[in-house]
Amino acid sequence: MDIIAKLGSPFSHADFTIGVATSSFQIEGDGENREKSIWDTFCDTPGKIADNSNGIVACEHVKRWESDLDIIDSLNVDAYRFSISWPRVIRQDGSVNNDGLSFYIALLDRLNEKGIKPYVTLYHWDLPQYLEDEGGWLNRQTAFAFEQYVEVVVKAFGDRVFSYATLNEPFCSAYLGYEVGIHAPGLVGKEFGKKAIHHLLLAHGLGMRVLREHAPTIESGIVLNFTPFYPASNDEKDVVATKLAHDHHNDWYIKPLIHGDYPELIDHIPDHQKPDIHQGDMEIISASIDFLGVNYYTRARVQDNGGEDPYQMPPAEGTETTAMGWEVYPQGLTDLLLQLHRDYELPPIIITENGLASDDEMTSDGHVHDIQRQGYLNTHMNAVAAAMAEGVNITGYFVWSLMDNFEWALGYEKRFGILYVDYDTQKRTLKDSAKYLQTMLAKRKALNNQG
Ligand code: FCB
């Protein structure tokens, strides 16, 4: 049974926000009219991106933004989540790029005209390269540079924004970018990850301060990604390894924000891997937020391997997986939300990303039958509703992604969109999942107008 059409389902209520999401580097293109980001450099480094592609053209969204917003409007969604490109706004010499700002202001104005709520993410991984040249997120000063950038943006945007998120998935910036090196800037070393995340969280806290001062009525928070971990067996060793994985990959990011300290694990890691915490940092980091954004894609099963990095097993034979090779496991989303609710006193949660990549192909008559995506979205929305029924306060759900785009180290090979993008012509086509959402949301509108 369809979640949105279901009377009484939280997804059918007008006050539950349903939207689609993108990020700057993944869709914008127009690489010539901004400073370089760490992702440009990473793309230029041989062997880093699966299809040797880059973000210079991407989905040409800067050129096509007006028709893209028309499509978003046609989907009947309440909200659009997108990110601001820092290197499009602040130049290397520190001056403000007004053309860059004007692009976003026009976009925000149009969204407001159409009655679509703008959910703005201030940092979705595209750090200006000129800051990386000074040490990037390993340099404490980057947090203060972020604070200044946020002030420029927030003052310029005024009341056009509905919701601000400081950072998207700092886990990926810190761990994937500075510890295992599969994301930009590609540093590898256990001594880097936890230092980088501390500066990212500090940037968040400093950014929140600016938001509170200059946008006190706009809801502001942060977006984290979580992987719920499950022991591979009942063996005590696997259970302990699972807890270790959870502490490293989930709790390390949420605990400082909510409780103002890192997990107890911090006492057990070697000194050279510890973050440089200055007095007062944890208070800045744990200042109150109005919402917690949760991104969920899959779960992982953990097996003890005796090491510091417990082994995350591939999906079991026979389980449904996506084109990323990730297990389809909606129960993981319910479990995760219940666990967060149990462990922390949280502000309202918004599911800021959920979706899947599939090997979508256009049929000769111009359709894209992405059946797996429809099923995934439906079961995961139901998983959210199940957590809500257990008392978790969740106020919105965003599909990742509006359109196929640059999937980081995997380039354009993985398609996450509900719109199919033909990269030769830049033509966008509604996949079946988009039509499904469009129809369901039209019914929902009708339902709420009657009520
Ligand atoms: C998330 C990212 C987003 C996209 C999806 C598939 O980790 O926030 O940009 O790449 O994964």
Side-chain angles (χ1 to χ4, degrees):
M1 171 62 165
D2 201 292
I3 177 83
I4 299 171
K6 212 175 349 182
L7 260 183
S9 132
F11 281 73
S12 68
H13 296 166
D15 58 2
F16 186 87
T17 305
I18 300 182
V20 284
T22 64
S23 88
S24 47
F25 192 83
Q26 295 179 276
I27 65 163
E28 282 184 355
D30 192 48
E32 302 79 18
N33 292 314
R34 55 163 174 74
E35 297 286 355
K36 287 223 169 315
S37 83
I38 53 175
W39 274 93
D40 293 300
T41 313
F42 200 63
C43 291
D44 287 347
T45 313
K48 297 296 183 193
I49 311 295
D51 58 1
N52 298 315
S53 63
N54 59 45
I56 299 300
V57 175
C59 305
E60 280 191 349
H61 172 68
V62 167
K63 202 153 135 194
R64 297 167 187 270
W65 69 271
E66 296 184 86
S67 48
D68 284 342
L69 290 205
D70 288 342
I71 302 176
I72 296 175
D73 198 17
S74 81
L75 295 173
N76 300 313
V77 291
D78 307 310
Y80 175 45
R81 173 175 180 245
F82 63 100
S83 79
I84 309 301
S85 158
W86 184 350
R88 195 179 287 290
V89 171
I90 309 287
R91 295 202 189 88
Q92 177 153 12
D93 63 8
S95 64
V96 175
N97 176 350
N98 284 313
D99 289 345
L101 274 181
S102 304
F103 164 67
Y104 295 113
I105 289 174
L107 189 88
L108 289 165
D109 283 341
R110 185 67 59 84
L111 285 169
N112 283 309
E113 270 164 43
K114 289 179 177 294
I116 302 166
K117 291 177 188 154
Y119 278 63
V120 170
T121 302
L122 290 159
Y123 182 71
H124 199 126
W125 308 354
D126 41 359
L127 185 74
Q129 179 61 41
Y130 58 79
L131 290 176
E132 183 57 38
D133 294 342
E134 304 293 317
W137 289 114
L138 294 175
N139 180 350
R140 188 176 166 87
Q141 285 313 312
T142 300
F144 296 94
F146 179 77
E147 182 182 25
Q148 286 168 8
Y149 151 68
V150 174
E151 184 167 338
V152 169
V153 168
V154 171
K155 282 185 174 168
F157 290 178
D159 60 4
R160 294 177 178 89
V161 173
F162 183 82
S163 171
Y164 275 115
T166 52
L167 309 178
N168 175 72
E169 301 191 354
F171 161 87
C172 294
S173 301
Y175 180 73
L176 301 183
Y178 289 86
E179 189 166 326
V180 293
I182 58 171
H183 276 191
L187 262 71
V188 182
K190 282 199 128 328
E191 65 277 33
F192 301 135
K194 290 192 164 50
K195 287 189 178 26
I197 187 57
H198 185 68
H199 296 146
L200 278 148
L201 293 175
L202 181 62
H204 154 78
L206 294 169
M208 282 302 297
R209 242 169 31 184
V210 175
L211 289 163
R212 294 312 191 200
E213 188 181 342
H214 296 287
T217 58
I218 299 177
E219 66 162 43
S220 299
I222 186 169
V223 171
L224 302 182
N225 59 303
F226 294 93
T227 305
F229 295 105
Y230 298 78
S233 76
N234 293 330
D235 188 319
E236 182 56 21
K237 282 187 177 156
D238 288 344
V239 175
V240 171
T242 303
K243 165 86 170 74
L244 187 60
H246 176 73
D247 285 353
H248 269 300
H249 297 307
N250 295 327
D251 234 23
W252 199 273
Y253 302 84
I254 178 125
K255 193 156 189 277
L257 292 167
I258 308 295
H259 288 171
D261 51 22
Y262 287 103
E264 200 239 322
L265 174 66
I266 195 166
D267 297 332
H268 306 283
I269 59 175
D271 277 349
H272 72 284
Q273 292 177 14
K274 289 186 177 156
D276 302 318
I277 305 173
H278 292 205
Q279 204 183 351
D281 283 3
M282 300 316 287
E283 286 73 39
I284 296 173
I285 289 171
S286 58
S288 82
I289 47 176
D290 301 323
F291 72 92
L292 173 70
V294 169
N295 293 354
Y296 174 82
Y297 290 92
T298 189
R299 68 144 171 185
R301 293 171 312 133
V302 178
Q303 204 170 49
D304 173 58
N305 59 354
E308 299 170 56
D309 284 322
Y311 177 61
Q312 297 183 30
M313 298 168 74
E317 198 71 36
T319 47
E320 184 190 354
T321 56
T322 71
M324 299 289 279
W326 297 345
E327 180 177 353
V328 176
Y329 194 68
Q331 182 62 41
L333 180 51
T334 310
D335 292 348
L336 165 69
L337 292 165
L338 292 175
Q339 178 169 12
L340 288 172
H341 183 63
R342 265 196 315 270
D343 291 355
Y344 294 101
E345 225 169 281
L346 293 175
I349 291 176
I350 302 172
I351 309 302
T352 31
E353 285 181 28
N354 181 229
L356 85 162
S358 51
D359 297 324
D360 301 321
E361 277 172 25
M362 171 106 51
T363 58
S364 54
D365 56 348
H367 293 279
V368 182
H369 301 304
D370 58 340
I371 299 163
Q372 192 188 19
R373 182 169 290 103
Q374 288 177 62
Y376 182 100
L377 294 179
N378 201 28
T379 52
H380 285 74
M381 287 184 197
N382 273 300
V384 174
M388 292 171 80
E390 297 284 323
V392 188
N393 184 7
I394 303 163
T395 57
Y397 174 92
F398 287 76
V399 175
W400 183 272
S401 174
L402 167 67
M403 59 179 130
D404 295 337
N405 58 47
F406 177 77
E407 180 45 36
W408 309 112
L410 299 169
Y412 296 93
E413 286 174 356
K414 300 295 174 202
R415 293 180 176 272
F416 270 93
I418 57 170
L419 301 182
Y420 183 89
V421 177
D422 177 333
Y423 294 111
D424 293 332
T425 61
Q426 290 293 343
K427 188 172 180 306
R428 282 79 158 124
T429 303
L430 271 67
K431 300 181 190 175
D432 285 359
S433 60
K435 295 181 191 162
Y436 165 78
L437 199 70
Q438 188 177 49
T439 312
M440 291 306 129
L441 292 176
K443 278 191 200 152
R444 170 181 183 253
K445 266 191 187 166
L447 209 84
N448 285 307
N449 289 342
Q450 274 166 26

